Amino acid sequence: MHDKRTPAIHAFEDGQQFRLLVQSVVDYAIYMLDPDGYICNWNEGGRRIKGYDDEEIIGQHFSRFYVPADRDAGEPQYGLRMARENGRYEKEGWRLRKDGSRFWASVVIDPIVIDGQLIGYAKVTRDVTERHESTLRLAEAQHALLQAKKIEAIGKLTLGLSHDFNNLLGVIVNSLDLISAHRDDEKRVTRLVEGALRAADRGTLLTRQLLSFARGQALAPEVLDINELVLGMKDVLLRACGVGIEIDLSLATDLPSVRVDRTQLEAALLNLVINSRDSFADKGRITVATGLADRRPPEIESSVEDFVCVCVVDNGPGMSEDVVQQAVQPFFTTKEVGRGSGLGLSQAHGFAAQSGGYLHIDSEPDQGTRVTMYFPALED
Ligand SMILES: Nc1ncnc2c1ncn2[C@@H]1O[C@H](COP(=O)(O)OP(=O)(O)OP(=O)(O)O)[C@@H](O)[C@H]1O
Ligand SMILES: [Mg+2]
């Protein structure tokens, strides 16, 4: 059918329709602002969301909807400037209703430019308080969950440590009992004393680890010869391993000195050897080797050229890739409650890093394990 309306009628009707459209939007407050931010016009949504009547708002500056802190900080002017400069401005924040209550608003400001001249701004505001609150509630719930998990982890740790210490004390008390009952059986007494000493060593190591974990390790570095330190520890290492396990030392000659904390290095070595021992079902072979690093660990950002390394190698069951990834994290353990607290590798790793070095784990299932600590070599 032929349309008899003139273009003027079209324009009028289109304009009318458009106004009707804007007016009937009730979920969005739509305003037109003049170039200085004074409100020229707004829609039903604006009246509904903000609670004002036309005569209270038309001609007012739009900053009256902002909370005082944002108004004082110049947020309204900043929004207009950003819209002018970038062609659009989007932001979320608190706004005020007529009755003084706050709502969380999502705001978009677009500049209106005709023939290159700014004639005002279109501003669209949406009340997204519900969404905002549910986001906050979700964050709160996540925080609470994290807190609960931490408490659970501390509970597990305390449980594990109490078991550990109980076991160790049990070994010591039993040994002393048996010693006093069999004073004359020299061989038996020697074995019992060794067992008790082993348990006491383990207890000492455990407290040392807990202390250094709690304090973040205050180191007392000194210049030392790693070979000498390893040799001096041989008896302790042998005792830690017990029967069925062989320990070899393979020490490189002419090694440069290093500057590290002696007690921490001893604890780290003992940790690595005990880890190897624990991985064996019954028998196994452990090698403690020293040397100059043949390649510089790529992870290290340091001007040092040479690194002295000490590594503990075993022919045990090795670790899965997943375990290797997590092994140095504090409290990560695959051992049952009371058999490990997950602090050994974390101590060795933290100590090596704090000494300007690095710890590297090489391990695959059924291929054994090699854990290497690198320390910067001293020049002279
Ligand atoms: N030589 C190894 N062979 C196989 N798995 C190992 C070896 N060393 C470490 N792991 C794995 O890495 C985990 C973490 O070792 P870490 O020394 O940090 O803690 P832990 O030995 O479990 O407990 P803790 O040392 O505090 O008594 C171990 O539980 C084990 O699964
Ligand atoms: Mg360990």
Side-chain angles (χ1 to χ4, degrees):
M1 214 179 96
H2 183 62
D3 186 351
K4 288 189 187 131
R5 287 176 300 173
T6 63
I9 293 176
H10 268 297
F12 170 76
E13 286 191 345
D14 284 354
Q16 186 88 317
Q17 269 172 5
F18 185 68
R19 248 192 304 282
L20 271 173
L21 176 72
V22 170
Q23 282 306 332
S24 54
V25 171
V26 288
D27 288 337
Y28 291 75
I30 303 173
Y31 329 69
M32 176 153 172
L33 307 180
D34 77 4
D36 297 319
Y38 289 92
I39 300 162
C40 314
N41 212 338
W42 72 341
N43 72 338
E44 181 56 33
R47 282 182 285 272
R48 197 182 68 84
I49 294 177
K50 313 267 168 143
Y52 291 99
D53 287 331
D54 281 359
E55 52 278 13
E56 293 173 289
I57 280 309
I58 308 293
Q60 296 286 326
H61 197 264
F62 83 110
S63 60
R64 68 177 302 151
F65 300 130
Y66 285 67
V67 294
D70 286 350
R71 209 182 302 149
D72 294 345
E75 179 66 33
Q77 288 74 14
Y78 177 79
L80 294 188
R81 185 158 64 80
M82 285 298 112
R84 211 158 55 228
E85 287 173 6
N86 305 324
R88 166 166 260 228
Y89 179 70
E90 287 191 45
K91 182 88 194 270
E92 293 197 354
W94 289 112
R95 294 292 184 277
L96 292 174
R97 295 196 189 87
K98 182 181 174 183
D99 63 9
S101 60
R102 296 194 313 173
F103 67 98
W104 188 259
S106 151
V107 177
V108 181
I109 305 177
D110 288 288
I112 304 171
V113 179
I114 292 182
D115 295 335
Q117 203 188 338
L118 179 79
I119 61 158
Y121 299 90
K123 180 167 183 283
V124 179
T125 302
R126 202 154 44 107
D127 180 350
V128 291
T129 313
E130 262 175 46
R131 193 200 69 202
H132 180 64
E133 278 174 355
S134 57
T135 314
L136 286 183
R137 270 200 300 277
L138 185 66
E140 260 169 37
Q142 277 168 341
H143 180 73
L145 186 67
L146 201 68
Q147 229 32 36
K149 274 194 181 155
K150 266 193 211 157
I151 290 173
E152 191 196 322
I154 292 174
K156 263 196 199 156
L157 170 71
T158 323
L159 188 69
L161 285 175
S162 332
H163 273 279
D164 257 2
F165 277 112
N166 255 339
N167 288 346
L168 297 174
L169 284 178
V171 172
I172 295 171
V173 170
N174 272 341
S175 305
L176 290 176
D177 271 351
L178 290 169
I179 288 170
S180 72
H182 304 275
R183 284 168 211 263
D184 302 332
D185 185 345
E186 205 175 303
K187 257 194 176 164
R188 192 164 182 179
V189 167
T190 313
R191 219 181 49 240
L192 289 167
V193 168
E194 274 176 6
L197 280 174
R198 196 152 60 224
D201 283 345
R202 165 94 183 117
T204 314
L205 183 66
L206 207 57
T207 39
R208 203 181 283 160
Q209 259 150 229
L210 283 173
L211 283 177
S212 63
F213 179 75
R215 283 203 216 107
Q217 285 190 18
L219 298 186
E222 58 184 287
V223 176
L224 49 87
D225 175 351
I226 284 202
N227 285 344
E228 203 180 291
L229 181 135
V230 173
L231 279 172
M233 282 189 76
K234 193 168 180 196
D235 286 345
V236 179
L237 298 181
L238 278 172
R239 198 161 74 206
C241 286
V243 284
I245 296 170
E246 289 175 53
I247 293 203
D248 293 329
L249 301 187
S250 163
L251 309 179
T253 47
D254 295 332
L255 274 185
S257 310
V258 291
R259 226 176 92 80
V260 298
D261 183 310
R262 174 185 292 275
T263 323
Q264 293 287 341
L265 178 53
E266 285 173 355
L269 261 182
L270 190 55
N271 270 320
L272 301 186
V273 169
I274 289 178
N275 277 352
S276 294
R277 178 203 68 191
D278 288 350
S279 76
F280 300 138
D282 46 8
K283 287 198 214 87
R285 171 186 287 264
I286 301 174
T287 307
V288 180
T290 60
L292 261 183
D294 48 5
R295 71 185 165 96
R296 184 193 161 80
E299 299 81 355
I300 285 209
E301 283 175 28
S302 139
S303 54
V304 180
E305 280 303 315
D306 292 324
F307 284 84
V308 174
C309 60
V310 47
C311 64
V312 175
V313 189
D314 67 57
N315 60 352
M319 299 179 224
S320 68
E321 203 184 316
D322 200 39
V323 172
V324 173
Q325 290 296 326
Q326 304 178 71
V328 301
Q329 280 174 20
F331 308 124
F332 172 82
T333 181
T334 57
K335 297 172 187 171
E336 59 196 63
V337 169
R339 301 240 22 230
S341 33
L343 283 172
L345 281 176
S346 134
Q347 181 271 335
H349 172 266
F351 158 66
Q354 265 189 290
S355 309
Y358 178 70
L359 176 140
H360 184 79
I361 302 174
D362 244 331
S363 187
E364 269 178 52
D366 302 324
Q367 301 296 317
T369 298
R370 169 192 293 264
V371 181
T372 313
M373 291 185 287
Y374 298 85
F375 300 101
L378 291 181
E379 299 258 311
D380 214 38

